[in-house]
Amino acid sequence: MKDTPDPGPTFPIALPIQLAVNGKRHQLDLDPRASVLDTLRDRLGVMSVKKGCDHGQCGACTVLADGKRVLSCLCLAASYDGADILTAEGLGTVDQLHPMQQAFLDHDGFQCGYCTPGQICSAVGMLDELAQGMPSHVTPDVRKVAELNDAEIRERMSGNLCRCGAYVNIVSAIREVGQGQAASAALPMPVAREVTR
Amino acid sequence: MTTDPKTASVGQDRVRIDGPLKVTGTAPYAFEQPTENPAYLFPLTSTITRGKIRAIDASAARALSGVLEVLTHENAPKLLAKTDTELYILQSRDVHYFGENIGAVVAETQEIARHAASLVRVEYDTEQEDTRFRPEHPERYNPGKINTGIPADSKQGNVEQGLAEAAVTVDEVYATPYEHHNPMEMHSVIAEWDRERLDGVLGVLGERPHLRIHDASQGVSYERLMLLPLLGLLPQQVEISSPYVGGAFGSKGIPHAQVMLTVLAARLMPGRAVKYMLSRQQMFRSVGHRLTTHQRFRLGAAADGTLTAITHDVQQSSSRLKQFAEQTVNATRHLYAAPHRETSTRMVPLDIGPATFMRAPGEFPGMFAQETAMDELAVKLGLDPIELRLRNKPDTDPESGKPHSSHHLGECLKEGARLFGWEKRQAQPRARQEGEWLCGMGVAAATYPRQMTPPTKASVAFREGKYHVGIAAADLGTGAWTVLTQIAADALKVPEEDVVLHIGHTDLPLAFLAGGSTGTYNWGSAVMVAAVNFRDRYGLTPAEGDEAEGSAFFPDEAKKYMLDAYGAHFAEVKVSTVTGEVHVTRLLGVYDPGRIINPRTANSQFIGGMTMGISAALHEESYLDSRPGYGHVVNSDFAGYHIAANADVPDVQARWIEHPDPMFGPTGAKGIGEIGIVGVPAAIGNAIYNATGKRLRELPFTPAKLVE
Ligand code: FES
Ligand code: FES
């Protein structure tokens, strides 16, 4: 054979990485090529994050890393040393669903459910971005705080593909949670109850 | 169904039973099934289109630490019967298409497997190939029969006479591209071989190999039936599970090569589970696609719109390795009345991977042509397109003369027009402009037939105070977990909480796959019969362990009728005069679906189909590089192959007119998984014509085709 390829460095090379996943700390020795996504799924058995493309094109792998939504397939685990990762099962459990999970259930915001954990993490992160006043492509005036409306939700959720086509129900679910959050933010601070003797 | 309406579960809005698992991400899909110390597979795929493998040098890969095995045709276990050419892999040096699985590396981790695969060197002797689809291809052939077993050609009356008599005619060519299903969950397999004591039907067989598979499958029973003759195994030796499937749309209907590849690799390391999830790029190679079509459609009509002739001549792509003859002409044979009618199907053999079912095979491409042609006819006649369709509604099935078991297309069209505000539509194109946007409305009819279903069974067993209902069905996101529970609860006359459903495993009673929109009426029928048998035998107070089976029942009388679901799609679009971009601002579907078991999951099925219809209309096309030496899809990821995103789908609504149809079986349901996509691209294309005056006859409607 003419050009027998150079096999490159001998694996495994292992890098010591610390990750907190859904509140649990892990000290890991990782292949430097490993993504956060593959580390969660193949090394830690955390399957509540999904792989839909491995190329940052579908959103199925969305997790909250230190509170921000990220595509975990594009995150090398080595560069997330020390990060706090939250997946859908860290947001809520079957017995105690997160309000966003409850809203997806109530509005039937899914069919096969494969894009769903990513949609839910993305929606939680997205409402947070909106609350912080980040504009989007459809925000009419970027100097003003973007308001929560369907166009903003659709635009900001367009990185999360759903082949089952649950989009209109996804928007209803997020709208409901977003409006609830906005309403509770507008409530006056609770006043301490008077103590009677 | 005869349950007391107060306690009935069927027809009620029910949250998905599998919902809590899905919103927390804890429903285990195939790749996520717990396995001890699995090994990971990465495939070797051909980089030529046609020829023979001369040599494979895997020495560098084998030398890599962590590599467990390199599988090629040289060391692959022998398969027994060549019952399926798509699954009969690694048995020779032959290469049939670009990207075909020609081997695999198995390693301790995914990273190592993938790296090692890149180190394997393959030399080929190439042969002359042909991957360029074109009409009038010299080798095109008549397949005799097309899918669903109907003849490839049909003829009634004399179409030339019918066209000569017509006051107005349409004669156009319509085309649909290759498409790929792209469920969000890529196909995934875990295979493990063991040895087990087998006490089979043939007596004690002793120690025999036992194969355990976790697959993303639309039907484990039929998957197993297809694998057995190739592997030379008895049914008891193969076990397949698939409780949750992350979308399928036909691509997981029958097993493709990746299942056999993983099974063969695992055979080389008994006792160790081998896992393989395709990459998104590999999804464009060997797990099926929607074939491409070239369709000549001719219509003739009298001045009042009455059709005199319909002809539909289809030429479509085919893999030389395995034919898939889509029933593109089917709906044309049944939807509209006309005394003179003719259809034909020709296959164009190419060196490409096999096509397979993709949501509404046949009806999807065929109805794009038919419903666009009907709109063109309406324009020529100066007639409202809804009125044209109503005038040509047949009294009986135009081909067989049989009466329809139920037929509510007219209601769908009229009710849809009312709900959509059709009266606001201007018949004249380019009559509505808002800034840079030209706006328009379009309509198309939809139809989807009753498909034949091979034997399907279900069981009911009473254990620990619960009724355990078993059937090897599959829930692809369709809602089967929920609706089968509802059907079982009513049939057993118990609350849903007392029913525990078991699906997605070959240990359960044999069931036909989730395909052809048959799931609810086919599995539902089997569950109802099993429940009735159970109550007949054990009454209302069964004892622990009591069990009964039942087979799906369909009335004999149904043979006397033509069985179809119907619907109508209404689209409103705006088209930019600057960029040619199309926005579907509203889409409404109104259906005649028989009985609706669960309005919530049904609604999702309809809007899901319609959303995929928007996707097909605006974006989807797999570009096959057909230059010599190539033959692969160049846009093989989501950056190149666009599917509808959230922002593409502002307002999609479904309504239905519920007329339960007992000829479809005891559930009265007609099947709703596919009709939501049928005709949607035509409705959108017709709306684009109404907006712009431009008639598009090729999918998808990309900006380049519309820029002014
Ligand atoms: S898997 Fe990360 S974006 Fe698709
Ligand atoms: S629910 Fe199936 S892909 Fe979104």
Side-chain angles (χ1 to χ4, degrees):
Chain A
M1 206 87 344
K2 349 180 222 323
D3 49 338
T4 304
D6 171 13
T10 330
F11 288 93
I13 295 176
L15 294 179
I17 308 286
Q18 219 185 65
L19 284 179
V21 181
N22 297 330
K24 226 165 118 190
R25 301 216 149 269
H26 301 273
Q27 183 63 51
L28 299 159
D29 288 322
L30 290 182
D31 188 317
R33 300 167 296 186
S35 63
V36 169
L37 173 60
D38 286 342
T39 303
L40 291 175
R41 283 172 64 86
D42 297 337
R43 283 294 299 275
L44 300 175
V46 176
M47 298 297 188
S48 52
V49 56
K50 308 298 177 190
K51 183 185 282 192
C53 71
D54 217 15
H55 278 57
Q57 298 167 348
C58 77
C61 66
T62 309
V63 299
L64 296 165
D66 297 325
K68 289 203 196 63
R69 55 174 178 164
V70 295
L71 300 173
S72 63
C73 69
L74 294 186
C75 302
L76 282 175
S79 49
Y80 276 75
D81 191 15
D84 221 318
I85 309 285
L86 211 54
T87 70
E89 69 180 307
L91 279 176
T93 60
V94 166
D95 300 321
Q96 205 166 6
L97 295 178
H98 181 277
M100 190 62 80
Q101 291 169 325
Q102 187 64 50
F104 268 66
L105 196 63
D106 293 343
H107 291 268
D108 212 35
F110 59 96
Q111 287 201 56
C112 77
Y114 196 78
C115 72
T116 313
Q119 300 274 4
I120 286 171
C121 287
S122 187
V124 169
M126 182 274 279
L127 286 182
D128 198 47
E129 290 162 17
L130 198 64
Q132 288 173 34
M134 290 185 195
S136 83
H137 174 67
V138 298
T139 309
D141 184 346
V142 295
R143 292 162 305 183
K144 298 207 186 98
V145 175
E147 56 174 292
L148 176 86
N149 58 35
D150 287 2
E152 286 283 359
I153 296 173
R154 282 197 292 268
E155 174 63 24
R156 290 164 191 258
M157 289 301 293
S158 279
N160 289 84
L161 299 178
C162 175
R163 188 56 158 162
C164 295
Y167 295 127
V168 291
N169 290 351
I170 290 171
V171 171
S172 311
I174 298 173
R175 185 199 307 124
E176 182 184 283
V177 176
Q179 284 168 350
Q181 281 181 2
S184 59
L187 285 180
M189 294 286 284
V191 182
R193 219 183 305 146
E194 226 180 347
V195 184
T196 47
R197 268 168 219 241
Chain B
M1 292 186 192
T2 52
T3 323
D4 171 12
K6 284 197 292 298
T7 56
S9 167
V10 164
Q12 303 297 315
D13 180 347
R14 291 288 187 268
V15 167
R16 284 172 200 267
I17 286 172
D18 49 337
L21 288 177
K22 292 202 167 156
V23 297
T24 52
T26 51
Y29 298 87
F31 195 80
E32 302 165 3
Q33 294 290 336
T35 35
E36 284 289 315
N37 187 31
Y40 294 87
L41 180 148
F42 196 88
L44 305 172
T45 54
S46 65
T47 54
I48 64 158
T49 302
R50 185 181 159 127
K52 289 198 169 14
I53 297 166
R54 190 188 323 134
I56 297 188
D57 177 8
S59 53
R62 285 187 190 278
L64 206 64
S65 132
V67 170
L68 299 167
E69 190 58 78
V70 180
L71 171 76
T72 69
H73 68 277
E74 289 166 0
N75 63 347
K78 290 286 155 273
L79 294 173
L80 190 69
K82 195 175 181 176
T83 44
D84 186 298
T85 47
E86 188 180 0
L87 296 174
Y88 195 76
I89 59 166
L90 309 192
Q91 303 298 299
S92 76
R93 299 171 170 276
D94 297 342
V95 173
H96 308 91
Y97 62 93
F98 199 106
E100 184 174 12
N101 291 299
I102 56 168
V105 174
V106 185
E108 297 287 353
T109 69
Q110 295 211 48
E111 291 83 5
I112 297 170
R114 189 165 188 161
H115 179 204
S118 73
L119 301 175
V120 177
R121 288 289 169 264
V122 184
E123 289 175 42
Y124 302 93
D125 294 315
T126 56
E127 290 164 16
Q128 178 75 47
E129 87 269 3
D130 181 3
T131 59
R132 193 162 66 84
F133 175 75
R134 52 208 188 272
E136 313 309 318
H137 189 288
E139 288 177 54
R140 72 186 185 281
Y141 65 94
N142 179 345
K145 280 193 182 339
I146 51 180
N147 292 354
T148 71
I150 55 176
D153 294 0
S154 66
K155 185 172 161 58
Q156 280 165 284
N158 178 340
V159 292
E160 298 311 327
Q161 181 197 330
L163 289 166
E165 281 167 14
V168 173
T169 59
V170 169
D171 180 357
E172 297 292 350
V173 170
Y174 305 87
T176 60
Y178 293 112
E179 289 179 358
H180 283 80
H181 313 69
N182 280 305
M184 291 312 299
E185 178 205 27
M186 282 90 75
H187 293 57
S188 310
V189 198
I190 303 176
E192 184 177 1
W193 290 80
D194 254 320
R195 295 191 73 79
E196 254 175 37
R197 227 185 145 67
L198 198 69
D199 305 310
V201 276
L202 309 174
V204 179
L205 293 169
E207 279 247 306
R208 289 286 162 135
H210 181 86
L211 171 62
R212 206 173 2 263
I213 299 174
H214 299 288
D215 191 16
S217 170
Q218 288 174 236
V220 290
S221 299
Y222 279 77
E223 172 168 6
R224 178 164 75 174
L225 286 179
M226 287 185 70
L227 293 176
L228 292 176
L230 285 132
L231 294 169
L233 298 177
L234 293 165
Q236 308 93 295
Q237 290 175 273
V238 179
E239 159 187 351
I240 309 178
S241 95
S242 179
Y244 301 100
V245 182
F249 315 112
S251 69
K252 297 166 183 169
I254 53 170
H256 301 291
Q258 87 285 356
V259 175
M260 190 56 85
L261 186 70
T262 314
V263 164
L264 292 179
R267 190 78 184 96
L268 300 180
M269 49 192 83
R272 187 126 192 222
V274 174
K275 295 178 76 164
Y276 173 38
M277 174 187 267
L278 268 71
S279 69
R280 183 56 65 185
Q281 287 73 12
Q282 289 159 2
M283 295 289 288
F284 288 81
R285 293 174 185 172
S286 50
V287 289
H289 60 265
R290 197 196 284 285
L291 49 67
T292 184
T293 68
H294 172 282
Q295 310 177 46
R296 182 178 181 204
F297 210 103
R298 289 185 291 168
L299 289 170
D304 68 352
T306 313
L307 288 170
T308 56
I310 305 176
T311 82
H312 191 183
D313 299 299
V314 174
Q315 301 183 48
Q316 52 195 15
S317 60
S318 184
S319 165
R320 278 193 219 273
L321 182 61
K322 182 181 177 183
Q323 173 184 286
F324 179 86
E326 190 148 330
Q327 65 277 32
T328 308
V329 293
N330 186 56
T332 311
R333 295 179 184 175
H334 306 289
L335 191 58
Y336 297 117
H340 308 287
R341 44 205 312 135
E342 219 173 288
T343 66
S344 72
T345 307
R346 297 293 176 269
M347 307 303 294
V348 174
L350 299 172
D351 299 302
I352 58 175
T356 194
F357 329 97
M358 181 166 166
R359 205 172 204 164
E363 275 68 25
F364 172 85
M367 284 289 280
F368 168 62
Q370 175 159 247
E371 289 301 286
T372 311
M374 284 295 277
D375 200 67
E376 301 204 45
L377 184 66
V379 169
K380 285 194 173 174
L381 288 161
L383 197 62
D384 181 87
I386 294 176
E387 185 54 34
L388 174 66
R389 286 170 173 87
L390 294 175
R391 284 188 194 174
N392 289 290
K393 214 156 53 72
D395 297 328
T396 57
D397 175 47
E399 190 173 65
S400 64
K402 287 181 187 175
H404 298 99
S405 60
S406 59
H407 189 296
H408 303 281
L409 172 61
E411 260 176 282
C412 294
L413 285 163
K414 287 181 212 157
E415 179 64 2
R418 188 183 70 76
L419 289 167
F420 201 65
W422 184 254
E423 77 282 355
K424 292 198 203 81
R425 173 180 179 269
Q426 316 262 349
Q428 192 59 34
R430 300 184 79 93
R432 231 181 98 200
Q433 183 155 11
E434 291 165 14
E436 74 175 78
W437 300 96
L438 288 164
C439 306
M441 289 188 200
V443 66
T447 178
Y448 194 81
R450 158 82 161 96
Q451 303 285 8
M452 282 305 119
T453 46
T456 292
K457 288 181 178 174
S459 64
V460 176
F462 189 71
R463 290 199 300 272
E464 292 169 4
K466 301 273 186 201
Y467 295 86
H468 291 260
V469 175
I471 179 165
D475 189 328
L476 325 172
T478 50
W481 275 109
T482 314
V483 300
L484 291 181
T485 302
Q486 290 177 267
I487 290 170
D490 277 9
L492 288 161
K493 302 193 176 62
V494 297
E496 286 154 60
E497 303 79 71
D498 291 355
V499 175
V500 183
L501 184 72
H502 303 266
I503 63 170
H505 199 287
T506 44
D507 286 350
L508 298 166
L510 176 126
F512 184 54
L513 51 88
S517 298
T518 62
T520 299
Y521 60 76
N522 180 41
W523 303 329
S525 175
V527 166
M528 288 173 79
V529 174
V532 168
N533 290 348
F534 183 90
R535 285 295 188 217
D536 277 356
R537 207 165 306 162
Y538 307 112
L540 288 168
T541 49
E544 177 72 16
D546 283 350
E547 184 164 357
E549 269 205 352
S551 295
F553 158 85
F554 300 102
D556 272 346
E557 210 193 326
K559 291 195 193 81
K560 294 192 214 134
Y561 295 96
M562 188 69 201
L563 277 61
D564 288 293
Y566 295 94
H569 289 121
F570 295 80
E572 182 188 70
V573 302
K574 55 180 195 176
V575 182
S576 167
T577 51
V578 180
T579 63
E581 190 183 354
V582 181
H583 287 204
V584 178
T585 47
R586 286 196 296 145
L587 188 65
L588 170 71
V590 180
Y591 303 98
D592 163 24
R595 189 188 302 281
I596 291 296
I597 310 295
N598 182 339
R600 165 186 302 255
T601 52
N603 185 65
S604 285
Q605 289 245 72
F606 289 132
I607 62 172
M610 293 163 72
T611 300
M612 199 180 262
I614 293 179
S615 193
L618 301 188
H619 305 301
E620 289 184 44
E621 174 167 18
S622 304
Y623 295 93
L624 195 93
D625 188 342
S626 55
R627 290 175 299 164
Y630 297 92
H632 64 298
V633 174
V634 289
N635 56 331
S636 60
D637 63 15
F638 285 135
Y641 187 92
H642 289 185
I643 62 171
N646 204 321
D648 289 320
V649 184
D651 183 353
V652 172
Q653 294 189 36
R655 299 282 185 276
W656 50 87
I657 301 159
E658 204 173 334
H659 298 285
D661 187 336
M663 293 303 123
F664 275 75
T667 64
K670 286 185 174 186
I672 58 176
E674 290 163 276
I675 194 165
I677 197 175
V678 176
V680 169
I684 292 172
N686 296 341
I688 291 173
Y689 175 80
N690 182 243
T692 65
K694 279 191 194 157
R695 180 64 70 183
L696 300 185
R697 301 186 182 92
E698 270 176 46
L699 288 179
F701 309 135
T702 45
K705 295 176 186 167
L706 282 160
V707 73
E708 307 237 318

